[in-house]
Amino acid sequence: MKFKFELILITFLFVSCNKAEKRQPSIDLEGTWQLISGTVIEKGDTTFTDYTKERRMIKIINKTHFAFLNHDMNKGKNAGAMFAAGGGRYELKGDQYTEYLEYCTDREWEGNPFQFTITIRSDTLTQTGMETIEGTKVNRINIEKYARVQK
């Protein structure tokens, strides 16, 4: 009888430890994020954009979908006037975040998945990944840093 109890206890501990190893830390993505900076590396050239000056972009993420809105800060009244928006569903597996762009003002981007590695430290989200669009010249590394927008 004692042997059965010990065997059950050992089995329970083994199963519990095994489940704990498979659990991954939860990444809290839900909310609104403001893009602070972006770095694009393409064909050996690096372009850094400060999104706190002439442009503003937010990304809104819920349990299943994301959306982004991006525009110039001059209310469209100069040569740098621009507006872009898009969204779709996403998947998160560990630190691997994949966006499935279903809607976009630049229609060539629609229907493409974009996979990123993400980290969150304090209220800063960093996502790094390749952006590749078949049939276009888009093939680059994109690194974006966001700050969580407080309520």
Side-chain angles (χ1 to χ4, degrees):
M1 184 72 167
K2 185 178 177 186
F3 178 73
K4 270 186 171 180
F5 176 75
E6 290 174 349
L7 184 60
I8 291 171
L9 182 60
I10 289 170
T11 302
F12 175 76
L13 289 173
F14 178 77
V15 169
S16 296
C17 290
N18 196 21
K19 283 184 181 179
E21 286 177 22
K22 288 183 181 179
R23 274 188 243 135
Q24 296 176 347
S26 174
I27 295 177
D28 183 19
L29 271 183
E30 289 185 46
T32 303
W33 299 88
Q34 182 174 342
L35 185 60
I36 302 302
S37 67
T39 303
V40 173
I41 304 167
E42 188 169 21
K43 297 179 184 166
D45 291 330
T46 301
T47 304
F48 176 83
T49 304
D50 180 347
Y51 282 90
T52 63
K53 299 195 188 286
E54 296 177 14
R55 291 168 58 177
R56 182 161 186 231
M57 178 175 149
I58 60 170
K59 182 179 281 191
I60 302 163
I61 303 173
N62 67 21
K63 289 181 194 292
T64 59
H65 287 76
F66 74 97
F68 65 87
L69 303 164
N70 185 352
H71 68 93
D72 65 276
M73 297 301 290
N74 297 312
K75 301 189 183 221
K77 297 188 176 165
N78 67 8
M82 61 83 57
F83 176 80
R89 63 186 176 80
Y90 75 88
E91 290 179 346
L92 178 64
K93 294 179 182 173
D95 65 352
Q96 297 302 297
Y97 170 71
T98 304
E99 294 179 342
Y100 299 94
L101 195 57
E102 298 172 45
Y103 310 96
C104 189
T105 50
D106 187 343
R107 303 305 281 272
E108 287 183 308
W109 289 66
E110 288 182 355
N112 289 288
F114 300 95
Q115 185 169 357
F116 300 95
T117 300
I118 61 170
T119 59
I120 296 179
R121 288 192 174 80
S122 188
D123 282 341
T124 302
L125 164 67
T126 303
Q127 64 180 55
T128 304
M130 286 296 297
E131 291 181 333
T132 304
I133 309 286
E134 296 248 352
T136 72
K137 295 180 181 180
V138 176
N139 186 15
R140 62 191 180 200
I141 298 171
N142 188 8
I143 304 164
E144 296 177 332
K145 286 193 178 206
Y146 295 85
R148 188 182 293 273
V149 175
Q150 300 301 320
K151 295 179 185 180

